[in-house]
Amino acid sequence: MSGPSLMDSLFQRTLEDLIKGLRQQLIGEQAFISKALEEIRKEIKSTDLSTKSTALLKLCYLSNLHFHDMSFAAFHALEVLSSPRFSHKKIAYHAISLSFHDSTPVLLLITNHLRKDLTSTNEFEVSLSLQCLSRIANVDLARDLTPEVFTLLSSNKLYVRKRAVAVVLRVFEKYPDSVRVCFKRLVENLENYDPQILSAVVGVFSELACKDPRSYLPLAPEFYKILVDSKSNWISIKVLKIFAKLAPLEPRLANRVVEPICDLMRKTGAKSLLFECVRTVVTSFSEYESAVRLAVGKIREFMVDEDPNLKYLGLHALSIVASKHLWVVSENKEVVIKSLSDPDPNIKIESLRLVMAMVSEHNVAEISKVLVNYALKSDPLFCNEILGSILSTCSRNVYEIIVDFDWYVSLLGEMSRIPHCQMGEEIENQLVDIGLRVKDVRLELVRVARDLLIDPALLGNSFLHRVLSAAAWVSGEYVEFSRNPLELMEALLQPRTSLLPPSIMAIYIQSAFKVLVFCLHTCFVRGGSTAGVSASASYESFDDLSVENGAGSTVAHGQTCTSAPITNESIVNLLKLVELALSPLLGSHDVEVQERARNLLGFVDLIKLEALNSSGQEENDSEQKGVEATKIIRLVHDAFSKELGPVSLSAQGKVPVPDGLTLNENLGDLETICSDIELPSSNTFSFGYPFEEKDVSSFSNLQIKEDSGQSNESTSLLAEHRKRHGLYYLPSGKSEVISNDYPPANDPALQGDNNDTASDLVKLTAESLVPKRKPNHSKPRPVVVKLDEADEKPVAVKHPESRDDSLSGAVRDILFGSEDILPTSSRSNLPSSNRKGKEKQHMITQVESKENVVGDGNSSSRRRKDHSHGKERRHRKKNAEERNETDRKEKESSSNHPRRQKSRQRAEEPLKVPPQTSVIPDFLL
Amino acid sequence: MGIRFILMVNKQGQTRLAQYYEWLTLEERRALEGEIVRKCLARNEQQCSFVEHRNYKIVYRRYASLFFLVGVDNDENELAILEFIHLLVETMDRHFGNVCELDIMFHLEKAHFMLEEMVMSGCIVETSKANILTPVQLLEKTS
């Protein structure tokens, strides 16, 4: 054995030596520590307990401050624990509470040590072991040591008792059945007048009440007494926390407590207690107006205080009030807005939250504008905080508060140009989402997208790439709204696009494809004399436009929609541009980019012939080929002009499962299938249906041709008619908007005074918080496509933890079940029948669980049967056992419970919910 | 669980004491302490002492070269925790006499012991300096 020699232990380094050495080492900290660890590993194997414990202490130090694993010493710690010397024990407990956890293998070996120390006569040993238990207790430890803890709960040594009270929290949490044993004694401690005990026990109850307040309602009288009598601020704060949880459950209790709390708020000099009163009132007593007014007064004092802590807390409290009483925020808006420029980022964020709480559909434009100006001036972090909250507020509930989408879209564009903006992803999502959902805004959207695309400077900012990808997609998808597709094309193919990541590059190329097809289509199919037969159905807006301008001829028609007319010449240039820009990309390393570039170039090759021919001379022999190219263009164009819709989150669920496909089947044998064949099942899976199911058919080219042929014919006739008799057509609202020169989204009047933003915002919010309609809503809110119920994100149903459940269940059993626990005299008028019943049921199941100790398999079915009989039995047996109930419980739990009890308890759970209203007695009040 | 952890960190960001009331692995601890130190030590005197972190709050206070950081649940009373930190410092001050970083370094176990007197299972159980120090001094005498 490589154990240490006597010399080693004689000259062992103490912890102090280690620390000094660590401070003076010259060989580097890591090297020094690993050397020390080596020593420790040797020393800890020593048979001499002092050597061992010193080694352990050093190890604790290194683990606590230098993150070195000490799990290897778990067993050694147990050895030191068995030492008769207190100082060794102390070190061992220290090590154990630092390093043990639920999966420490030797955890169970500690039970007997703990039991021995818990029953020791030395109060410090008891205290150490309680302390340790509070850190490491798991189910087994909690179960096995419950009797000892129970005894200590009424120890006559205060020092021990308060610790026993505190440890109960962990024991209850790990082993809810211990509630049946210990709860009564815990409640008894509530009546203790010693502040030490009281502060511990109130602390425990405030934690317990957090998890399940309802169970502790019957204890309200005790808490009330403590609240009124308490001299210690620590205790008062904890009791207030309990009442904050209890009051919303029982209005009579709230009625009773609100006055004392207000008294406390007026009288106390301690800021912490004052703040707790304020917080209690604003969270749980918000319907008591006078109390809220008092609290708001205090909040205001907090907010204008010099101390940043108080200021922060004031704002924080205000944001709690804001959810229920918005008037409070508008009353204090000056302070809130001033805090937007506080030096402390945390305070700024709090006030930002409050400003966002004030936003409504009437003032969203103004507030956003001012905030964006703030964002321009702030540091990057806060800037993005502002942008993020604007984005999330505006998009809430499918853009609920947005009326003027043109404005919002241009705001998005403006936000992405802010230098610190890092919200690219969110802006990208919203741009695309709005494009899909709101038809009327697409024109403005394309304009914004164009402005973004065309600016070569933006390509250099990697945070903006996501925004640009949205802009590219939008301008490709809705290119028919573009005023100048050629310009778009140049923007999409500009040399600086090489700065984009490949995934976005691919989107650019795809969009360029769409734009190119659109240009060709305009030029040859609609604009060209040969193919004037069928104006595509999807271009009604253009037809409208031309009607509006009174231009009859198709050539002029082309000119109105594009500032630069698409001529054959420009097409040729365009094709050249495409070839020039994309040829290098054929060698791209990214497959997506390469493939899309190849697609586009292939397409260009196909139609180049016609373009060149028709630009050169209009020969008859080329016409044959030209017609073919036109056909191709029309085909591709129709494929692109199918509108994409937003996809509902539950869309996948709507896809019918094909016959013969069982989704629930285990896929285990898939591996064997894969090994010999190449996934034969792949064609049983359908491609994801986009939104509308009829779209599926359009994947086949043939059908497209037929479809569009038919529909184009009728719509083109209609369009012809409209052109000829334009006068008799009512001007549609849409065209009216289009023909206007779009007013810039931001009112130029507001543009001037950017500097005095704070006062500006105050004024604006002041105006807009008065509920009046904004006069300049010239346009009605456009339709926003919502997918029925699907847009609501599936709310994860929160299942309360079963353990907590069983804990509160146990607590309820005790509190509602056996009234002799309630020490108050005023429990006379309780309707006791159902409580008795519950108690009985509880006893029955306990008896039964004893029966079930052997035989695990059929226990559950038997249990269920028992329950069905339970009711009858319950009525028969009455109060005989009630007397010795507690004794029985004690006995029972000191014998080792089988683990199964927990599951038993869960099974019984649904029966246990107490009928609230009838049980909550009047005595509270 | 009201208090989740108590840290003492010096100006350089080195941990001088770490007490956790829920189990974290060494790696989680290292990450957590790193994040917290980065967040809190960058703040100045004019800024408030509360920082939101993950799903809880950190209440901290600086005494000379040492930062006392306490991680608490969101509904814990921040000002009370500040008072608690102050109480802790006063208690140590009374025991060590003008406490400094070195005292805590060289008496780490004792500092832990004091904390254990004050906090159990994340609840503050003792707030009287005398009550906290009696056992500490008693044990010092016997050993």
Side-chain angles (χ1 to χ4, degrees), chain A residues 159 162 207 241 344 346, chain B residues 1 48-50 75 117 126:
Chain A
Y159 183 67
K162 77 176 177 203
E207 291 304 322
K241 280 192 186 308
D344 184 346
N346 290 0
Chain B
M1 168 142 351
C48 70
S49 317
F50 319 121
D75 57 351
E117 289 293 315
E126 185 55 76

Side-chain angles (χ1 to χ4, degrees), chain A residues 17-147:
Chain A
D17 297 335
L18 175 75
I19 299 170
K20 278 184 184 153
L22 198 55
R23 284 164 65 78
Q24 288 155 5
Q25 41 78 20
L26 299 170
I27 52 173
E29 193 179 273
Q30 281 312 318
F32 184 85
I33 288 178
S34 47
K35 235 177 94 193
L37 275 173
E38 222 167 87
E39 275 171 22
I40 288 171
R41 275 176 195 275
K42 241 189 253 167
E43 288 161 7
I44 210 161
K45 288 185 191 135
S46 152
T47 45
D48 175 35
L49 279 177
S50 341
T51 315
K52 216 180 184 68
S53 65
T54 307
L56 196 58
L57 190 59
K58 289 195 284 188
L59 189 58
C60 286
Y61 182 88
L62 292 180
S63 161
N64 197 241
L65 301 190
H66 296 275
F67 308 105
H68 284 283
D69 180 37
M70 61 180 287
S71 57
F72 70 89
F75 190 75
H76 301 294
L78 283 183
E79 284 176 326
V80 179
L81 188 61
S82 60
S83 160
R85 281 189 57 188
F86 183 79
S87 57
H88 293 167
K89 230 184 230 309
K90 201 169 127 212
I91 291 171
Y93 272 124
H94 179 58
I96 289 169
S97 23
L98 282 183
S99 65
F100 277 32
H101 54 97
D102 279 1
S103 49
T104 301
V106 295
L107 191 62
L108 281 184
L109 298 179
I110 206 179
T111 317
N112 281 324
H113 288 294
L114 282 174
R115 186 173 286 139
K116 202 177 109 231
D117 286 339
L118 283 174
T119 49
S120 154
T121 48
N122 180 343
E123 58 181 325
F124 295 111
E125 280 182 8
V126 181
S127 150
L128 279 180
S129 55
L130 281 172
Q131 176 70 45
C132 181
L133 190 62
S134 83
R135 299 284 291 278
I136 65 165
N138 65 352
V139 186
D140 297 305
L141 279 175
R143 186 188 58 223
D144 295 344
L145 296 172
T146 298

Side-chain angles (χ1 to χ4, degrees), chain A residues 64-65 67 86 101 131 135 159 162-163 166 196 199 207 241 272 276 279 309 312 343-344 346, chain B residues 1-2 18-20 23 29 33 43 48-50 52 75-77 83 116-117 120-121 126 131 139:
Chain A
N64 197 241
L65 301 190
F67 308 105
F86 183 79
H101 54 97
Q131 176 70 45
R135 299 284 291 278
Y159 183 67
K162 77 176 177 203
R163 273 149 195 281
Q196 288 189 48
S199 92
E207 291 304 322
K241 280 192 186 308
S272 54
E276 196 57 47
R279 179 148 60 182
N309 288 341
Y312 174 83
D344 184 346
N346 290 0
Chain B
M1 168 142 351
Q19 177 85 296
Y20 288 85
W23 171 254
R29 273 189 51 199
E33 285 170 32
R43 297 168 61 83
C48 70
S49 317
F50 319 121
E52 287 175 25
D75 57 351
E76 197 59 46
N77 187 313
E83 279 170 40
E116 282 165 9
E117 289 293 315
M120 249 183 105
S121 338
E126 185 55 76
N131 284 346
L139 291 181

